[in-house]
Amino acid sequence: MKHSWWQEAIVYQIYPRSFMDSNNDGIGDLQGVIRRLDYLKELGIDVIWMSPIYQSPNDDNGYDISDYQAIMDEFGTMEDFDQLLREAHSRGIRIVMDLVVNHTSDEHLWFVESRKGGGDNPYGDYYIWRDPKEDGSEPNNWGSCFGGSAWQFDEERGQYYLHLFSKKQPDLNWENPRVRDAVFAMMTWWCEKGIDGFRMDVISLISKTREMPDGVVRGLYGDYGPYCVHGPRVHEYLQEMNERVLSRYDLMTVGETPGVTPEDACRYAGNDTHELNMVFQFEHVDVPGKYGKWNDEKMPLTVLKGILSRWQTGLYGKAWNSLFWDNHDQPRAVSRFGNDGAQYRVKSAKMLATCLHMLQGTPYIYQGEELGMTNYPFQSPADFRDIESIHAYKEWCESGRVPHEAFWPCIVAVSRDNARTPMQWDDTEHAGFTQGKPWIAVNPNYKEINARAQIGDPDSVFCYYQKLIALRKQYPVIVYGDYQLLLPESEEIFAYTREYEGKRLLTVCSFTDKEAEFIVPEEFGGAECLITNAVGRKEGPDKESSGKEAIGREDSGKDACSGRACRKGGIRLEAYEAVVWYKELA
Ligand code: GLC
Ligand code: CA
């Protein structure tokens, strides 16, 4: 397979609203991002994925776009954007734009025109319109992702329109060739500006079946899944997009594809399917419970490993993985998969980073993850800013369906607002994010957890990320190696090996707050430790002064745990330890 820059890149996601405010109106902006480019350079990332910065009424924080070729007033101007692109490029950092084309805002000109009626209206067929049923009710029982029906009646046009997200996010009708022309022209306009790629919002939903029957009822509404997810023409549309736009530029493309399996991914992002470079899958972050996605249960480690391993092996040599724990729609990784208590926050954040960054694929870091930022201690529903959490609380609790006490822990565990609190830059008021009043509350732990405290501190989470990023650039086995899971049954240890051109890597991560024993495979005897978060383990070649190999040798004649009780050939892992060993085959 041909190697490409985006396979070797590390991507950093910016949620601009919460990243850095330059003019103290409490809202992050493009000049704020420009100010922090040197910080990102220091971290070592190669690509920024910008969550949407386009003109938007902000029903869903920019994921509802009213003009694709203008910058949101609160974020700045097109000149600011051009400056950002120049300054990023001058530092060797590429910019990937969020592309939200499953839907627009209802304030987009296309929709404003479309609601005037069908007939010879050029925009009449830009969206998905249906007549009411005879009794005036919705065309079918589908529910929207943000609660309520997926259909909204429009008085002006006298029809319902489909919105899989909020009613201010009407779905575009991709069946209409004019819609595709308009979207591709807009994308080309951005490419001509010199951007470096697209992250494509819910791109697996753009094709819908023509027939739209009722869906199986889950909760209050019917499931649109079988009719909208990986719909009949989605691959055709993406191939057309690739042919008409993507293939003409040197881009990185990643599709957000809810509901995707490794088999689907091999089509969306296959080496020779001419669609996208990679997709985001969600199997490892979706843990549906009693109240749909609102759930505070942890996924058992064996299940998590099973999922990630299936993706590692399922795509190897056929398609390309994306790697992430966090994004703007997910709770904070250290709170969810690690341990955000005082004793283990730093340690477990480093462990999670190791576990992810040593896998095969392109790693994504979500702003603040590199500091070990945590979930927010929500006190009441009034703390929420996110349309999804606000609606969910109404639909499940205020409606009387579920008591507050039962629902509250579930919503705070996974609310998207956990990820959207302001970036913690320093220990000054509002964490150095703004000198105004932030649009969403700053996490009160900013005095302790912030960038200024971590930069230059060799024991910090930030410096650990720097090191992981540097390792990926130094060792091709991290990027290109194959993958093999060890100990699939262990609920404590996530261990795997990678191999590429005679170089081998062994990553061992402990997901428990207790010590655990690990037997190092014999072939790693004498391996070099590339990185570890452990207090009691040294980096460097793992040889004893006698010259004997210290790990992985049943017959080494010596207990490898340097005095701590464990079996020969075994090592005792500290709580939340991560360690990576490297060995070149003889
Ligand atoms: C994607 C985005 C999410 C948004 C939704 C609708 O899932 O990541 O933030 O709300 O699409 O655009
Ligand atoms: Ca601002």
Side-chain angles (χ1 to χ4, degrees):
M1 185 189 178
K2 203 171 117 268
H3 294 176
S4 307
W5 61 265
W6 45 264
Q7 296 175 315
E8 294 171 9
I10 288 107
V11 184
Y12 187 92
Q13 184 192 351
I14 291 184
Y15 194 68
R17 209 172 183 76
S18 305
F19 190 62
M20 180 68 210
D21 176 20
S22 72
N23 63 350
N24 298 321
D25 63 353
I27 297 171
D29 47 53
L30 296 184
Q31 285 298 333
V33 177
I34 293 171
R35 275 198 208 165
R36 298 299 184 178
L37 284 174
D38 286 331
Y39 167 84
L40 298 177
K41 184 74 200 160
E42 191 169 348
L43 180 58
I45 57 98
D46 307 284
V47 178
I48 296 172
W49 149 27
M50 294 286 282
S51 276
I53 56 172
Y54 316 94
Q55 196 68 252
S56 162
N58 280 310
D59 192 49
D60 185 20
N61 287 351
Y63 282 91
D64 49 318
I65 297 169
S66 55
D67 185 344
Y68 289 103
Q69 282 159 248
I71 301 294
M72 190 191 299
D73 294 333
E74 291 163 329
F75 289 173
T77 63
M78 196 55 82
E79 286 67 48
D80 294 325
F81 177 78
D82 293 338
Q83 183 190 348
L84 170 61
L85 192 60
R86 268 197 319 275
E87 297 218 12
H89 284 171
S90 75
R91 289 167 177 82
I93 296 175
R94 291 173 152 105
I95 303 256
V96 162
M97 301 291 279
D98 219 306
L99 181 79
V100 188
V101 289
N102 173 68
H103 45 267
T104 68
S105 163
D106 66 338
E107 297 181 33
H108 194 291
L109 175 97
W110 298 341
F111 190 76
V112 173
E113 289 299 320
S114 192
R115 63 175 14 152
K116 290 179 183 162
D120 51 12
N121 176 359
Y123 297 100
D125 206 17
Y126 260 51
Y127 295 84
I128 300 170
W129 294 98
R130 290 286 186 278
D131 289 328
K133 283 196 187 144
E134 252 163 47
D135 63 358
S137 65
E138 289 82 0
N140 66 30
N141 69 353
W142 297 355
S144 93
C145 293
F146 294 158
S149 164
W151 297 96
Q152 175 67 25
F153 187 71
D154 185 73
E155 296 291 343
E156 192 176 344
R157 177 151 167 163
Q159 283 186 306
Y160 282 93
Y161 63 85
L162 180 69
H163 61 89
L164 298 184
F165 295 88
S166 93
K167 60 176 188 259
K168 285 186 67 62
Q169 294 170 298
D171 282 54
L172 281 165
N173 176 19
W174 275 72
E175 297 259 321
N176 181 350
R178 285 205 207 154
V179 166
R180 302 203 294 280
D181 289 348
V183 168
F184 299 156
M186 174 274 285
M187 292 172 72
T188 302
W189 185 87
W190 282 100
C191 291
E192 287 296 319
K193 253 187 183 303
I195 63 150
D196 304 290
F198 296 105
R199 173 268 183 189
M200 302 186 188
D201 195 64
V202 290
I203 203 72
S204 54
L205 308 185
I206 58 176
S207 166
K208 280 90 175 168
T209 55
R210 286 211 185 136
E211 299 298 309
M212 296 189 164
D214 281 347
V216 177
V217 176
R218 298 189 205 287
L220 290 178
Y221 291 91
D223 177 15
Y224 63 69
Y227 315 101
C228 303
V229 183
H230 317 310
R233 297 181 67 187
V234 65
H235 295 290
E236 176 196 328
Y237 296 153
L238 287 174
Q239 283 161 25
E240 185 182 343
M241 180 194 285
N242 185 293
E243 210 264 310
R244 292 176 60 186
V245 187
L246 307 177
S247 61
R248 297 171 193 248
Y249 302 89
D250 181 22
L251 302 176
M252 181 194 118
T253 55
V254 50
E256 188 205 22
T257 46
V260 75
T261 64
E263 294 69 42
D264 301 321
C266 289
R267 288 193 71 188
Y268 281 111
N271 294 344
D272 47 18
T273 51
H274 306 288
E275 296 185 23
L276 306 173
N277 295 150
M278 57 190 133
V279 295
F280 289 129
Q281 61 87 14
F282 295 94
E283 293 186 314
H284 67 307
V285 290
D286 284 342
V287 193
K290 283 192 293 249
Y291 319 127
K293 81 166 254 187
W294 310 105
N295 189 0
D296 62 354
E297 281 161 50
K298 264 201 169 174
M299 185 180 271
L301 183 62
T302 45
V303 176
L304 180 70
K305 292 191 293 188
I307 292 170
L308 291 175
S309 301
R310 228 171 358 89
W311 280 86
Q312 289 286 297
T313 47
L315 267 55
Y316 193 71
K318 300 187 196 140
W320 195 254
N321 272 295
S322 70
L323 307 170
F324 75 96
W325 293 129
D326 259 349
N327 64 34
H328 65 293
D329 295 330
Q330 301 295 332
R332 290 284 177 180
V334 70
S335 301
R336 176 190 248 185
F337 297 102
N339 182 328
D340 63 6
Q343 193 179 0
Y344 292 123
R345 183 186 61 83
V346 170
K347 191 126 187 223
S348 65
K350 291 176 183 174
M351 181 279 288
L352 290 171
T354 315
C355 185
L356 193 80
H357 282 245
M358 291 299 127
L359 290 173
Q360 194 280 326
T362 298
Y364 289 72
I365 301 169
Y366 177 69
Q367 65 185 42
E369 183 183 338
E370 77 281 17
L371 306 174
M373 275 177 63
T374 67
N375 277 357
Y376 182 84
F378 296 102
Q379 298 301 314
S380 91
D383 292 340
F384 293 135
R385 295 289 171 274
D386 176 27
I387 181 171
E388 186 190 44
S389 298
I390 293 169
H391 279 195
Y393 190 80
K394 280 194 190 135
E395 198 163 290
W396 290 90
C397 278
E398 281 172 16
S399 65
R401 289 173 74 207
V402 180
H404 172 89
E405 302 68 50
F407 191 65
W408 189 246
C410 297
I411 194 165
V412 299
V414 291
S415 170
R416 308 196 297 181
D417 277 338
N418 284 303
R420 300 178 179 188
T421 64
M423 179 73 179
Q424 292 166 207
W425 294 107
D426 57 39
D427 63 1
T428 64
E429 206 188 355
H430 308 314
F433 163 71
T434 182
Q435 289 171 27
K437 185 177 172 345
W439 71 275
I440 185 172
V442 174
N443 194 312
N445 62 20
Y446 72 93
K447 294 227 182 246
E448 183 207 335
I449 305 172
N450 65 70
R452 187 181 290 160
Q454 296 196 24
I455 297 169
D457 168 3
D459 294 329
S460 68
V461 181
F462 179 86
C463 286
Y464 196 88
Y465 269 86
Q466 278 182 314
K467 211 164 159 189
L468 282 173
I469 292 170
L471 284 174
R472 182 167 273 262
K473 308 232 173 277
Q474 203 184 334
Y475 292 90
V477 59
I478 301 176
V479 179
Y480 297 110
D482 67 4
Y483 169 93
Q484 201 183 344
L485 180 68
L486 307 178
L487 307 177
E489 307 299 334
S490 169
E491 286 294 356
E492 300 176 327
I493 297 172
F494 192 162
Y496 56 86
T497 58
R498 308 278 313 276
E499 184 171 341
Y500 182 67
E501 296 184 337
K503 317 282 196 298
R504 275 193 190 152
L505 206 65
L506 167 63
T507 301
V508 183
C509 292
S510 166
F511 277 67
T512 153
D513 58 4
K514 303 186 181 53
E515 289 194 339
E517 190 190 334
F518 179 74
I519 309 276
V520 179
E522 187 146 353
E523 73 249 36
F524 281 92
E528 179 184 355
C529 172
L530 295 186
I531 188 168
T532 179
N533 65 354
V535 187
R537 198 174 306 287
K538 290 234 163 41
E539 285 168 16
D542 208 343
K543 302 238 194 238
E544 293 177 77
S545 47
S546 69
K548 267 193 192 151
E549 290 161 344
I551 58 167
R553 297 295 293 251
E554 294 286 344
D555 63 354
S556 67
K558 194 162 184 272
D559 177 353
C561 297
S562 22
R564 285 181 289 166
C566 75
R567 271 196 282 159
K568 274 187 187 159
I571 58 165
R572 191 146 290 278
L573 299 173
E574 298 174 7
Y576 298 109
E577 174 166 347
V579 50
V580 180
W581 280 293
Y582 173 79
K583 192 164 177 191
E584 302 195 6
L585 299 186

